[in-house]
Amino acid sequence: MVEMGKGAVVEAPIDQLLVEKLADPQTIEKLVRLLDKLEHVTFLLDMLENFLRRGPEIADSINDLVVTLRESLSKPEYVSRFELAFTAVRRMQEFLDSPQVQELFKSDVLDVRSVQMLGKVSRSMIQASTETAQTGIKRVGLLGLMRTLGDPEVQPALNFVLNFARHISKELADA
């Protein structure tokens, strides 16, 4: 800052300028924010210093990688592997772009709820298959079937099957 004296211009001492700048509320706010983040700044500077210190080592590693790639590309077996990999990627892209796969993506088959339901059905089938293999096939008569229909464990599945039958009928009628 410049002070006006008796006809002469005198510069304020640097200490006074520093005190005035430090007393500024915006400067105080910025210093507090900097102090709050000082640990992060220190960590970042340490990482940068370590990175710069390892610069020659990193450059040597990159150079070795380039040399290795050049040597590998000159070998016929690596060239054929790259060609096979490229062909495989191209075929996968053709498969994904096919109308059938695009239609599959548009359908509800890949919906999370559908996949979860298929998981439940699969687990139930495996458990039923295991139980049947362990206990053997038992003859179930009409009365046994009627008793089973009243079983509280069977009721949710029975409701599911009936609702499924109703909805699949609607879907098939629309088809």
Side-chain angles (χ1 to χ4, degrees):
M1 273 198 151
V2 178
E3 289 183 4
M4 293 299 218
K6 296 181 180 175
V9 176
V10 179
E11 288 193 27
I14 294 177
D15 292 343
Q16 184 181 356
L17 289 173
L18 182 60
V19 169
E20 287 178 14
K21 188 71 173 170
L22 288 174
D24 181 22
Q26 287 181 340
T27 304
I28 292 171
E29 180 184 337
K30 289 176 183 176
L31 282 173
V32 168
R33 286 180 55 212
L34 179 63
L35 290 173
D36 287 343
K37 296 181 181 188
L38 192 58
E39 184 177 323
H40 297 293
V41 171
T42 307
F43 177 73
L44 181 64
L45 289 174
D46 287 343
M47 285 183 57
L48 182 62
E49 182 182 1
N50 288 333
F51 176 76
L52 292 175
R53 190 177 311 125
R54 293 188 63 208
E57 181 183 335
I58 294 170
D60 288 342
S61 295
I62 292 172
N63 190 36
D64 291 344
L65 177 63
V66 169
V67 168
T68 303
L69 285 174
R70 282 185 178 164
E71 290 171 355
S72 297
L73 288 176
S74 64
K75 296 179 182 176
E77 64 267 12
Y78 288 112
V79 173
S80 66
R81 286 182 186 168
F82 286 128
E83 288 174 349
L84 285 174
F86 181 72
T87 301
V89 168
R90 192 179 68 237
R91 285 187 179 167
M92 282 191 292
Q93 186 63 49
E94 289 171 1
F95 171 74
L96 292 173
D97 290 340
S98 71
Q100 295 87 351
V101 173
Q102 291 302 313
E103 192 62 33
L104 180 67
F105 288 147
K106 292 176 190 173
S107 72
D108 291 334
V109 173
L110 298 177
D111 185 271
V112 174
R113 296 168 298 182
S114 298
V115 174
Q116 289 172 343
M117 182 56 66
L118 284 174
K120 290 176 183 179
V121 169
S122 297
R123 283 189 297 277
S124 298
M125 287 173 48
I126 291 169
Q127 289 173 349
S129 174
T130 303
E131 286 178 18
T132 303
Q134 289 173 352
T135 61
I137 298 175
K138 298 178 186 174
R139 182 178 166 94
V140 179
L142 189 56
L143 291 176
L145 182 61
M146 296 296 266
R147 247 185 316 227
T148 304
L149 291 176
D151 185 346
E153 288 184 350
V154 175
Q155 286 296 311
L158 204 57
N159 282 316
F160 172 80
V161 169
L162 294 173
N163 284 325
F164 176 72
R166 189 176 306 112
H167 289 286
I168 195 76
S169 293
K170 288 178 186 176
E171 287 290 328
L172 292 174
D174 290 344

